[in-house]
């Protein structure tokens, strides 16, 4: 693993202060240099809770979903006793991947040499292994991965020592359930994907403040009452709340909406959870590093039905064709600016009321980055 030296960490944090009003942002080097892609991959993403899917995909025994956690293939499965489990997606014989995509299996059979595993990860059979000396199937069980169902969403963590997500995120579950009590009953209706020429941290920075919204997102500012927009930071997440606009907006129609709040949560390091004004809905948006200056985004929409209604289709269109176009243009420009010698770090604009126009959630995110880097550096 790439290791940060104490002096490198000090350079990244130079000017950063725990008090956001007097703090500078972290050094631009960690947004552009290849070294930090590897530090982020193994020091952050392989040690944090990563969203996998809605629980609807893993309700029945044998249901499974695979995922790639920045180069580590894993899968989650519902076993015969109803327990949710996860494992590295690799056969213990010759390291072939066991499963692809998602589906349902009664037993997990390697497509290479047909070693077969139970849904509990135990090796059930290995062809012709009876001819081996000292071979014990118990020595070849699948390697488990941490898995947790959290607010009807499934997360995995490669760090065996990580605190449970429900504990690490403190009051997040109660907050989500208070705004989205129907989340368990919603179903995946649409997915948007994007490839962005920007570091993943650049993308998160942009998401965490609405200081830019009146300038860059005029339609969005008509969707919500900006004077009610409040951002609060907590441990490993932040909440971003506003009331729906009281007049006609230029984003998308919300007439007859049963959801009248804009409720958004950022969960460290790369997941955002959202409920927008409209019919019962929930969105999961992930920012996945591809390289030092490239990010892949997945934006999942969960609605009351698998087919979006007209208003929901219009909301998807607005996000895809307007809001995302605006944001991608912003972050790609910022990334280009990060490459120049003219920028090393900036200042956060903060207001004491914690409004959406304040950048204190960006400061909070940068503090979490520095904490993770300190662990890599051994300080």
């Amino acid at each position: 693993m790439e290791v940060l030296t104490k002096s490198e960490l000090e350079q990244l944090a130079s000017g950063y202060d725990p008090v956001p009003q007097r703090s500078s942002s972290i050094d631009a080097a960690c947004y552009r240099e290849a070294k930090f892609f590897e530090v982020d991959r193994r020091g952050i993403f392989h040690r944090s809770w990563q969203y996998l899917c809605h629980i609807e995909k893993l309700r029945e025994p044998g249901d499974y979903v695979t995922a790639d956690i920045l180069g580590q293939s894993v899968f989650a499965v519902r076993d015969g006793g109803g327990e949710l489990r996860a494992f590295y997606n690799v056969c213990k014989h010759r390291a072939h991947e066991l499963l692809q995509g998602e589906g349902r299996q009664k037993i997990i059979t390697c497509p290479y040499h047909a070693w077969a595993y139970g849904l509990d990860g135990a090796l059930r059979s290995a062809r012709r292994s009876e001819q081996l000396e000292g071979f014990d199937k118990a020595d070849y069980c699948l390697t488990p991965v941490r898995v947790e169902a959290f607010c009807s969403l499934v997360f995995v963590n490669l760090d065996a020592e990580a605190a449970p997500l429900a504990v690490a995120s403190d009051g997040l579950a109660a907050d989500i359930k208070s705004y989205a009590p129907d989340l368990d009953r919603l179903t995946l209706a649409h997915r948007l994907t994007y490839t962005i020429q920007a570091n993943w941290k650049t993308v998160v920075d942009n998401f965490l403040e609405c200081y830019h919204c009146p300038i860059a997102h005029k339609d969005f500012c008509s969707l919500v009452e900006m004077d009610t927009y409040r951002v609060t930071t907590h441990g490993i997440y932040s909440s971003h709340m506003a009331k729906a606009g009281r007049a006609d907006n230029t984003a998308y129609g919300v007439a007859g909406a049963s959801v009248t709040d804009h409720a958004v949560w950022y969960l460290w390091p790369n997941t955002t959870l959202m409920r927008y004004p409209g019919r019962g809905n929930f969105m999961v948006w992930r920012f996945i590093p591809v390289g030092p200056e490239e990010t892949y985004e997945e934006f999942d929409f969960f609605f009351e039905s698998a087919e979006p209604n007209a208003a929901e289709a219009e909301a998807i269109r607005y996000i895809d064709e307007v809001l995302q176009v605006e944001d991608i243009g912003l972050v790609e420009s910022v990334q280009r600016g990060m490459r120049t010698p003219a920028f090393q770090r900036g200042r956060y604009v903060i207001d004491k009321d914690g409004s959406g126009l304040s950048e204190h959630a960006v400061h909070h995110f940068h503090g979490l980055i520095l904490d993770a880097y300190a662990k890599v550096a051994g300080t």
Side-chain angles (χ1 to χ4, degrees):
M1 177 179 176
E2 290 279 359
V3 175
L4 288 177
T5 66
K6 183 178 179 181
S7 62
E8 286 174 323
L9 181 62
E10 289 173 349
Q11 173 63 28
L12 292 175
S14 177
Y16 182 87
D17 191 287
V19 178
Q21 287 87 343
R22 60 184 183 225
S23 179
S24 295
S25 58
I26 57 179
D27 195 283
C30 68
Y31 288 80
R32 63 175 188 260
E33 293 182 6
K35 169 176 183 150
F36 291 97
F37 174 72
E38 183 63 15
V39 171
D40 290 352
R41 187 175 78 91
R42 298 182 64 180
I44 294 178
F45 285 83
H46 289 179
R47 296 181 178 180
S48 58
W49 288 97
Q50 295 292 306
Y51 170 75
L52 182 64
C53 65
H54 189 283
I55 198 67
E56 67 175 348
K57 292 185 179 294
L58 294 167
R59 291 198 194 277
E60 301 298 325
D63 286 351
Y64 72 86
V65 174
T66 66
D68 178 89
I69 309 298
L70 271 69
Q72 298 295 315
S73 185
V74 302
F75 70 91
V77 64
R78 183 73 67 178
D79 74 12
E83 184 176 347
L84 189 62
R85 297 177 181 268
F87 304 95
Y88 282 95
N89 186 22
V90 58
C91 181
K92 290 293 189 171
H93 173 221
R94 294 271 297 283
H96 196 282
E97 291 175 323
L98 293 165
L99 297 168
Q100 299 290 327
E102 58 189 61
R104 183 176 295 173
Q105 296 280 359
K106 292 182 178 179
I107 195 163
I108 300 164
T109 302
C110 179
Y112 195 8
H113 299 100
W115 280 33
Y117 301 85
L119 301 178
D120 59 357
L123 179 63
R124 296 291 179 83
S125 65
R127 292 172 47 249
R128 302 178 66 83
S129 61
E130 66 277 3
Q131 301 182 61
L132 302 179
E133 296 181 10
F135 181 83
D136 186 344
K137 289 197 294 287
D139 295 333
Y140 295 90
C141 298
L142 300 181
T143 300
V145 170
R146 298 283 299 283
V147 63
E148 190 168 333
F150 179 84
C151 294
S152 301
L153 305 173
V154 179
F155 289 80
V156 293
N157 194 327
L158 303 185
D159 182 1
E161 303 302 320
L165 179 55
V167 173
S169 62
D170 196 17
L172 177 57
D175 209 18
I176 291 174
K177 289 174 182 177
S178 70
Y179 282 92
D182 56 350
L183 180 52
D184 183 65
R185 301 188 298 276
L186 300 180
T187 188
L188 180 64
H190 196 77
R191 170 174 285 178
L192 296 173
T193 62
Y194 308 89
T195 297
I196 302 172
Q197 300 310 305
N199 184 272
W200 72 277
K201 296 184 288 293
T202 307
V203 181
V204 175
D205 285 350
N206 180 71
F207 177 83
L208 289 174
E209 48 90 359
C210 221
Y211 183 41
H212 69 283
C213 292
I215 311 303
H217 300 315
K218 297 186 185 301
D219 293 322
F220 175 81
C221 289
S222 74
L223 179 64
V224 302
E225 291 292 337
M226 287 300 295
D227 60 348
T228 69
Y229 203 125
R230 291 294 177 271
V231 178
T232 309
T233 61
H234 325 250
I236 64 168
Y237 76 98
S238 56
S239 59
H240 306 247
M241 305 296 181
K243 290 294 183 183
R246 294 182 285 270
D248 289 342
N249 71 80
T250 57
Y252 62 87
V254 293
S258 57
V259 176
T260 57
D261 291 295
H262 166 84
V264 177
W265 301 268
Y266 156 74
L267 176 62
W268 165 261
N270 66 319
T271 303
T272 63
L273 310 168
M274 299 180 281
R275 189 159 168 104
Y276 273 13
R279 190 171 64 145
N281 71 88
F282 204 79
M283 289 161 275
V284 180
W285 189 10
R286 293 188 296 157
F287 316 116
I288 303 168
V290 176
E293 297 187 285
E294 186 173 327
T295 300
Y296 172 73
E297 290 187 348
E298 278 190 350
F299 203 145
D300 286 348
F301 295 79
F302 298 90
F303 295 135
E304 294 176 12
S305 58
E307 186 68 29
N309 65 21
E312 290 160 349
E314 177 61 16
I316 293 170
R317 186 207 64 79
Y318 163 70
I319 290 171
D320 185 34
E321 298 180 11
V322 180
L323 192 61
Q324 279 292 86
V325 171
E326 293 167 345
D327 273 330
I328 290 171
L330 294 172
V331 300
E332 291 189 338
S333 176
V334 168
Q335 191 66 37
R336 291 191 294 271
M338 291 278 191
R339 298 182 197 137
T340 72
F343 184 87
Q344 187 173 12
R345 60 179 58 86
R347 288 293 298 268
Y348 309 101
V349 175
I350 307 295
D351 72 55
K352 60 181 176 60
D353 296 324
S355 77
L357 301 179
S358 177
E359 296 178 304
H360 58 285
V362 183
H363 173 268
H364 171 254
F365 170 56
H366 290 177
L368 292 172
I369 290 170
L370 291 176
D371 287 346
Y373 285 176
K375 292 178 181 177
V376 174
T379 63

